[in-house]
Amino acid sequence: MKYIIEHMEEGFSEWVILEYSQIIREVGKQNLILTSLPAGTTDRDIPPALLSLGLQWTTKECVDIEGGIDKSKVCLLDPAATEELVPSDSETYDYFVFGGILGSHPRIDRTGLLREKYGFAGRRLGALQMTTDTAIRTTQKIVQDQTKFEDIQFIDYPEIRYNKYESTEMPFRYIVDSAGEPILPEGMLELIKHDAEQSIDDLLL
Ligand code: SAM
């Protein structure tokens, strides 16, 4: 299986770097490619953390990688698709495309840009918005591990407590680990806490 992220954010925020790093660790650097980076991008524009994990990236669009890929073998993971991803989709599709998009609440349909541009078959991973790393983790469980969506344990809109008094609700669905905690990229908990404390400090200024 190849996982393709069409990068749709401007540059690389800390959040994006942590998500992409985690995805490389989980699917393997040889199975992930980041596509559609702006023309003129060089290695100097890619965060060192991602380069050191062996990120493969290109300014080409996803359809043009490997000398052009067969569209019938490509599945777009699309929150607005009408069909759900199932284990047998692994027999039809070799490439799974995701939007490299930071989620928003309420959800804005930016994946729609990919749907309209490429016309790939689309599959949904349930009705709730996931982070890109969660969407890839879920896809991997379904098409590689052959686990049905309904057998994966999720937590919706978890509350992340960042001190004794305050917490923040994450407006996404996450897979849970064996302790029932949402699986977040390494370093994400610290980043969420840092950002939350920062905005409180800004309010106090
Ligand atoms: N508001 C965004 C949108 O739809 O444009 C949600 C983006 S989501 C944070 C990033 C990517 O994860 C999406 O482009 C999609 O590929 C995948 N994704 C997230 N939730 C999904 C779901 N429930 N079903 C299918 N794909 C999903």
Side-chain angles (χ1 to χ4, degrees):
M1 303 297 165
K2 286 269 182 212
Y3 299 92
I4 301 174
I5 301 177
E6 277 267 301
H7 187 66
M8 294 171 77
E9 295 293 329
E10 217 170 284
F12 294 87
S13 63
E14 272 301 303
W15 184 291
V16 164
I17 295 170
L18 294 183
E19 280 198 5
Y20 289 178
S21 298
Q22 190 64 32
I23 295 165
I24 299 170
R25 285 191 285 268
E26 290 184 19
V27 305
K29 61 182 178 189
Q30 68 285 3
N31 298 319
L32 176 76
I33 181 157
L34 188 61
T35 55
S36 287
L37 282 161
T41 300
T42 69
D43 261 352
R44 281 203 304 273
D45 303 307
I46 309 292
L50 295 177
L51 289 179
S52 66
L53 286 166
L55 175 73
Q56 298 187 71
W57 63 270
T58 177
T59 54
K60 288 181 187 166
E61 294 183 339
C62 56
V63 276
D64 295 327
I65 61 168
E66 299 175 358
I69 52 178
D70 176 357
K71 275 192 177 189
S72 69
K73 295 271 172 205
V74 185
C75 173
L76 172 68
L77 278 300
D78 180 356
T82 50
E83 273 186 64
E84 300 291 332
L85 186 73
V86 291
S88 60
D89 282 323
S90 62
E91 295 159 22
T92 312
Y93 304 112
D94 295 333
Y95 300 89
F96 294 88
V97 176
F98 301 80
I101 302 166
L102 289 179
S104 50
H105 188 68
R107 185 173 75 83
I108 304 170
D109 181 25
R110 288 172 69 199
T111 311
L113 296 173
L114 302 177
R115 187 188 317 129
E116 278 149 31
K117 187 170 182 182
Y118 299 119
F120 299 139
R123 291 287 184 275
R124 199 177 76 150
L125 300 163
L128 295 188
Q129 178 178 215
M130 298 172 175
T131 57
T132 307
D133 64 294
T134 305
I136 295 189
R137 190 170 300 119
T138 305
T139 299
Q140 202 181 16
K141 282 193 181 291
I142 296 173
V143 296
Q144 274 178 233
D145 305 347
Q146 297 285 294
T147 306
K148 290 184 188 152
F149 179 84
E150 51 273 30
D151 293 335
I152 303 173
Q153 282 209 320
F154 295 102
I155 183 168
D156 299 337
Y157 307 143
E159 216 176 276
I160 307 283
R161 182 152 294 283
Y162 51 89
N163 67 33
K164 205 168 155 196
Y165 306 103
E166 285 123 341
S167 61
T168 186
E169 188 186 80
M170 304 304 292
F172 304 106
R173 168 174 280 172
Y174 294 87
I175 296 183
V176 292
D177 64 17
S178 53
E181 295 295 330
I183 299 179
L184 301 174
E186 269 177 48
M188 187 60 85
L189 205 54
E190 292 72 18
L191 181 63
I192 293 169
K193 287 179 184 173
H194 174 269
D195 286 355
E197 277 159 8
Q198 193 72 50
S199 33
I200 290 174
D201 284 352
D202 290 348
L203 282 176
L204 294 175
L205 280 179

